[in-house]
Structures are given as C-alpha cells and as structure tokens.
Amino acid sequence: MGGVTDDVWANLTDRFVEGAYATVKGRVRTYVLHHHLMDHLPPPPAAVLDVGGGAGHQSFPLARLGYEVVLLDSSEGMLSAAEQRLAAESADVRKRVRLVLGRGEDAPSLTQGRRFAAVLCHGVLMYLPEPASMIESLSACTAADGVVSVMALNAATLAVRPALEHRWNDAQAAFHARSERGVLGLDTRADTVEELSSTFADHGVRPLAWYGVWLFTDWLTLDADEDELTTIAEVELEASRRDPYRHLSRVFHLVGRR
C-alpha cells in the first residue's frame, strides 16, 4: 500500500459503486470500454495497471480473461469496495489481482518502477486540475510498445446536458466552458481529443485511436432488462466508432502506444 491521500470519495463509494455502475449507463460504459480495450491489448497474461481503478469494474473482467492486474486508487473507500468485490471472484482471479493505495501521479514509485503492457486511467482526468502530470505518470509505467488508455470528459459537448434540462443560460455559457458540476456533485474538468493527443505525444505516447463513450444513454434515463441492455450496449459500441456520433459523446476514450 502507498501513502494515504484525502479521500473525497469516502462518502460517494456506495453511490458510485452500487449506483452508477449498476445503471444502464454504467454497464454500457464497462461494455464499450472493454470492447475497445480488446482491440488494442496484447493477449493475457500481460500485466495491466488500472490507475484510479475504483472497485475494479473495468479491470476485474480482464483478470477473468487471464490478465495480471494491479489496481491503484487513492481512495481507501474505493479499494475496500474493490476488495469486497474481489472476494466474490474465483481463486484464480483473486491471485491475478493486486490492490494498491495511492495517487496515480505516484504510480511509478508505488509500483517500484515496474513497466506494464497496458496502463488504464478511466474517468480520472476530469477530477484533476490538469492532465499532463497524470499522463507523465502513466507513460512512465508503460513498457515499450505498451498501451495507454484514458477516458476523459468531452469539452465539445458540455452544452448538451443543460440544454436538454432546459437550462438555456447554462447551455449558452457551456459553449465556452471547460468545466462543470458532475452528476456526483463534484466539479469536473473537460478535455478535447486534440489537446489530450498532443499531451500524449509530449510524453512519448503515440495516439492510436479514439472513441466516443455514452452517446445516447448519457442523455436518457433508462431501465432495461438484460436483452434490451445488450442491444443498447451494442448500439453504443457501434456509435462509439463512427463519425459523427463519436464526436457527440459525453466522454471520449483515447488509446495510445508508448
């Protein structure tokens, strides 16, 4: 375990883990990102570092496929939830997962300088004042020819939510904004694909591909059975790879190679 940081997620863990990830929107995120990753990750048992990995919703499925996973998170509450979820996995999966407490910016030292075949950082950059420090850390943890995967808030679509909620003055302001109050009540910061791709390149990571995430499901309140959920997720996956749909997504997924 690394050093403890202020745990702003302590009071949000249940709402995030049991609420957000259990919704249609949350399950679509996991599905869409997983399929993107499968297009770029080397085969198991490659080692994966999940920075800001929360309760393991994205990386535990990789461990089930045979990947070796190190999940690093700055929140004791989130890691406790990850530990509880991990306890329900098989012994083979549990032995492939290691949980580490600490900041993503400190990942190189917390992982003792180890280099990983893939480094994930999904839904973290939006809570940081700027992305460069984290991208530098992710790159430092990535092996040569390894994959870096980040999911960030899309600065190009900040006006959509307030407009759909008939908050027209907020929508007008959002055309020029780079931040907003997120659905969990925390302030979030947005990036563009072009700027984040440039930051990748500045730290030795060559952008490979980018995708949209949450086009339709982010703007709707949905309740679906398993069959409908599968169809929704497949529609979102298709939209995530196509223009102009991916440009309109709430968040985007950028993948690069070191």
Side-chain angles (χ1 to χ4, degrees):
M1 291 284 185
V4 179
T5 61
D6 292 336
D7 193 353
V8 299
W9 292 94
N11 296 323
L12 294 172
T13 299
D14 289 343
R15 183 179 171 192
F16 191 75
V17 175
E18 303 300 332
Y21 270 101
T23 63
V24 171
K25 178 180 170 181
R27 295 177 69 182
V28 163
R29 163 187 157 156
T30 302
Y31 179 94
V32 169
L33 287 176
H34 181 80
H35 281 74
H36 296 166
L37 290 172
M38 289 299 95
D39 288 340
H40 297 283
L41 263 58
V48 175
L49 173 63
D50 189 5
V51 174
H57 289 82
Q58 204 69 60
S59 55
F60 287 0
L62 298 178
R64 293 182 200 125
L65 293 176
Y67 288 93
E68 181 186 350
V69 170
V70 175
L71 189 158
L72 186 153
D73 202 285
S74 64
S75 167
E76 288 182 309
M78 285 294 184
L79 282 187
S80 178
E83 190 171 24
Q84 293 175 27
R85 295 186 70 247
L86 187 60
E89 299 286 346
S90 69
D92 284 344
V93 172
R94 292 198 303 272
K95 72 181 181 182
R96 287 194 287 268
V97 178
R98 177 186 169 216
L99 306 180
V100 177
L101 177 65
R103 301 189 321 143
E105 293 90 338
D106 300 326
S109 61
L110 292 172
T111 57
Q112 291 80 50
R114 182 180 180 186
R115 296 297 185 100
F116 294 81
V119 178
L120 319 181
C121 187
H122 299 155
V124 175
L125 296 182
M126 61 190 67
Y127 298 107
L128 303 178
E130 53 83 24
S133 298
M134 183 64 80
I135 299 302
E136 180 180 11
S137 176
L138 303 180
S139 176
C141 292
T142 308
D145 206 37
V147 170
V148 178
S149 168
V150 301
M151 189 188 81
L153 182 63
N154 187 1
T157 60
L158 293 183
V160 177
R161 173 173 286 155
L164 292 180
E165 294 174 352
H166 300 179
R167 294 187 286 115
W168 300 111
N169 289 335
D170 291 341
Q172 183 67 41
F175 287 121
H176 308 286
R178 293 301 296 264
S179 63
E180 66 171 16
R181 180 61 57 91
V183 295
L184 293 175
L186 300 177
D187 291 332
T188 56
R189 184 193 54 79
D191 291 293
T192 69
V193 174
E194 294 77 15
E195 290 168 352
L196 206 51
S197 295
S198 178
T199 304
F200 266 33
D202 289 343
H203 293 89
V205 179
R206 176 172 55 89
L208 292 177
W210 75 271
Y211 309 92
V213 182
W214 291 337
L215 173 57
F216 308 109
T217 53
D218 193 72
W219 319 121
L220 301 169
T221 300
L222 295 170
D223 187 16
D225 60 25
E226 288 299 320
D227 288 342
E228 186 180 14
L229 177 63
T230 299
T231 303
I232 292 170
E234 290 172 349
V235 169
E236 286 279 11
L237 179 61
E238 186 68 21
S240 77
R241 294 167 166 161
R242 286 178 175 263
D243 289 334
Y245 301 103
R246 63 176 181 161
H247 292 271
L248 303 175
S249 293
R250 178 69 170 171
V251 297
F252 64 87
H253 180 201
L254 177 65
V255 180
R257 189 174 304 281
R258 187 177 183 278

